[in-house]
Amino acid sequence: MNTRSNRTFVRISQATAAAALSAAVLAPFTAPAYAQPDTHPATAEAAAKNETRAASSANEPLLIGHRGAAGTAPENTVSAFKDARSSHADYFEIDVQLSADGVPFLFHDDTPARTTNVEDVFPGRENDPITSFTWAELQQLDAGSYFSDKFVGEKIPHFNDAAKIANNKIGVFIEIKSPVNSPGVEKVVADALESNRAWNRLLRNNQIEVLGFDAVSNQRFATLAPNVPLQQLIGTVPDSATLAQIATYADHFGTSYRTVDAAGVARVKAAGMGIGVYTVNSTEAYDQMVALGVDRVTGDFPIQFSRHERGQKPFPQNTGVQIAGSINDVPGNDLQPETGEHVILENTTNRSVDVSGYIIRDAANTQLTVGTGYILAPGAQLRVYTGPGTNRADAYYNNGTANVLNNGGDSVALWTGNGNLQDTFAN
């Protein structure tokens, strides 16, 4: 595996790198992460833990919680980090940006509209850059209630909060998010890893990796902190020549699991880098990635996937109702009456199950619900539609006015009305 600190670090000028990689690397994709430094663990306990991880990684990939554990708690929040820490995952991933007054904070999107109550607190600023808010303003926002009432009042965390929660019990993948909007963020992160006690302890214990989609930003960070493991993210695996150039500054490569194949995995490994995939949200997709031989899997459900890794039921509270399919892209308009996009639920038990109030939530936290009075007989299916139509025994319509399911593939999770996770599905 390629480790920059064990050889002469090949520094490429930003101008040369930008010209060579901008077409392949700087495209606007979303997603996350992967890990391991060159310094010696600070404690015997940490050393033993890392030996165990190294041994297990020969048989199964490292597991990384996406944005903490974005499937079971509001993304990039303390609650999500705690879920990930308790999951037996190896790492959780975070997204770091800088506030208008230079404070590093954890947030994924470029604007606050999707995951905060900004329209109530700062009307008219819903689509302003999240980096245009001061730290004091960010602390006035609720970053949890969008997910569920259970998380009302959850705050946008400071960068250092992630290290405090990790507390050497789990590693952290630090994605430098939209660096063009946060000038100087690479140095802020590098300085924190060096001088902040909690971050430095994680680094010394081989529990830190930095990553990003922006190649120029990654090279800038590599120059500032050449001994910190670094990962380049791209939505697809490029050709061997591009991978060889990436390997001059990065130790690992991450890509979408939907686009990777055996040939792509082989190209990355031939370039001397580890390969990770994102965002894997079904056990079937997880098993497919293991079969391909990837080194890391990032997903929104680390609690459930770590159970799956250990041969346990990933959804122990399942009532017997599962997601049988998702029809994301129908002929014609996705919201056309009666026959638009929908998710298919199925009762796999030999008893009837009341699914009234069940919630289907996608990765962006857009939700579909099942109305009252829907009881599925054994083996019966229910189609839950985004758009309008005539409700009947085998179909419920949400009368939505905007698409929920991504035509190119999406992941959805099924919850009971009282918040018990039942199943996940991805296509």
Side-chain angles (χ1 to χ4, degrees):
M1 188 165 292
N2 171 30
T3 308
R4 289 171 292 115
S5 56
N6 286 340
R7 61 190 174 90
T8 301
F9 176 54
V10 182
R11 291 181 171 84
I12 305 173
S13 71
Q14 290 181 12
T16 302
L21 291 176
S22 59
V25 180
L26 301 182
F29 295 96
T30 57
Y34 323 99
Q36 263 184 355
D38 283 321
T39 51
H40 295 293
T43 66
E45 179 184 1
K49 188 181 298 184
N50 287 329
E51 287 178 9
T52 300
R53 285 175 177 158
S56 66
S57 66
N59 303 313
E60 62 186 27
L62 295 176
L63 179 60
I64 299 94
H66 184 220
R67 305 177 198 172
T72 55
E75 62 184 59
N76 277 310
T77 65
V78 166
S79 290
F81 305 153
K82 288 180 177 179
D83 266 10
R85 187 181 63 187
S86 68
S87 72
H88 300 285
D90 300 284
Y91 298 82
F92 63 80
E93 180 261 353
I94 59 176
D95 301 287
V96 61
Q97 306 192 52
L98 296 183
S99 68
D101 49 346
V103 177
F105 67 97
L106 303 179
F107 200 81
H108 175 269
D109 292 4
D110 288 339
T111 72
R114 181 176 65 90
T115 60
T116 77
N117 63 338
V118 62
E119 59 189 32
D120 298 326
V121 181
F122 300 109
R125 297 183 65 185
E126 294 88 345
N127 296 312
D128 286 359
I130 190 68
T131 52
S132 70
F133 291 76
T134 66
W135 174 243
E137 289 174 331
L138 292 172
Q139 290 301 281
Q140 297 178 52
L141 298 176
D142 181 326
S145 58
Y146 82 93
F147 193 90
S148 77
D149 291 343
K150 176 183 176 181
F151 300 101
V152 170
E154 192 90 32
K155 299 296 184 185
I156 294 175
H158 189 284
F159 176 58
N160 292 342
D161 290 335
K164 293 174 185 175
I165 298 301
N167 194 28
N168 287 59
K169 294 179 174 65
I170 186 171
V172 184
F173 277 18
I174 304 168
E175 180 174 348
I176 295 179
K177 196 70 184 176
S178 302
V180 68
N181 298 332
S182 298
V185 64
E186 299 89 355
K187 188 174 189 312
V188 171
V189 172
D191 288 349
L193 293 179
E194 177 66 27
S195 61
N196 179 275
R197 182 177 180 181
W199 280 121
N200 189 254
R201 220 170 60 165
L202 286 166
L203 181 64
R204 288 184 291 116
N205 286 347
N206 297 334
Q207 293 177 295
I208 292 292
E209 186 165 316
V210 171
L211 57 148
F213 284 96
D214 189 314
V216 172
S217 172
N218 285 344
Q219 291 165 68
R220 187 179 299 123
F221 183 85
T223 301
L224 292 166
N227 292 330
V228 177
L230 183 65
Q231 178 183 172
Q232 178 67 58
L233 298 172
I234 308 180
T236 57
V237 178
D239 59 32
S240 296
T242 303
L243 287 169
Q245 191 165 23
I246 291 170
T248 62
Y249 64 86
D251 307 282
H252 305 287
F253 179 86
T255 192
S256 170
Y257 84 92
R258 289 188 171 92
T259 63
V260 75
D261 57 15
V265 171
R267 285 202 304 278
V268 173
K269 292 188 175 184
M273 293 183 289
I275 181 168
V277 290
Y278 59 80
T279 305
V280 178
N281 284 342
S282 74
T283 54
E284 294 81 5
Y286 175 89
D287 291 341
Q288 290 167 7
M289 293 302 104
V290 172
L292 280 180
V294 303
D295 303 302
R296 298 97 174 278
V297 173
T298 294
D300 290 331
F301 298 91
I303 297 172
Q304 289 69 35
F305 278 26
S306 66
R307 292 181 61 86
H308 180 65
E309 278 185 340
R310 289 175 283 148
Q312 300 174 345
K313 291 182 178 179
F315 309 103
Q317 295 178 308
N318 178 260
T319 60
V321 177
Q322 298 178 354
I323 302 172
S326 180
I327 312 303
N328 300 29
D329 189 13
V330 299
N333 191 311
D334 282 352
L335 295 180
Q336 61 193 333
E338 307 295 344
T339 57
E341 66 175 27
H342 57 280
V343 176
I344 305 169
L345 307 183
E346 182 175 2
N347 181 1
T348 63
T349 71
N350 58 5
R351 55 184 173 76
S352 295
V353 179
D354 188 347
V355 295
S356 302
Y358 275 40
I359 296 170
I360 299 165
R361 176 185 284 138
D362 76 349
N365 201 59
T366 310
Q367 298 183 13
L368 302 176
T369 61
V370 178
T372 58
Y374 277 85
I375 299 176
L376 289 187
Q381 290 188 339
L382 175 67
R383 286 167 168 75
V384 184
Y385 289 81
T386 300
T390 306
N391 292 336
R392 53 185 186 272
D394 64 349
Y396 181 78
Y397 293 85
N398 277 262
N399 293 305
T401 58
N403 294 8
V404 170
L405 306 172
N406 295 327
N407 288 348
D410 207 343
S411 62
V412 289
L414 178 66
W415 301 74
T416 63
N418 58 3
N420 289 328
L421 180 61
Q422 300 295 292
D423 193 21
T424 63
F425 176 88
N427 57 9

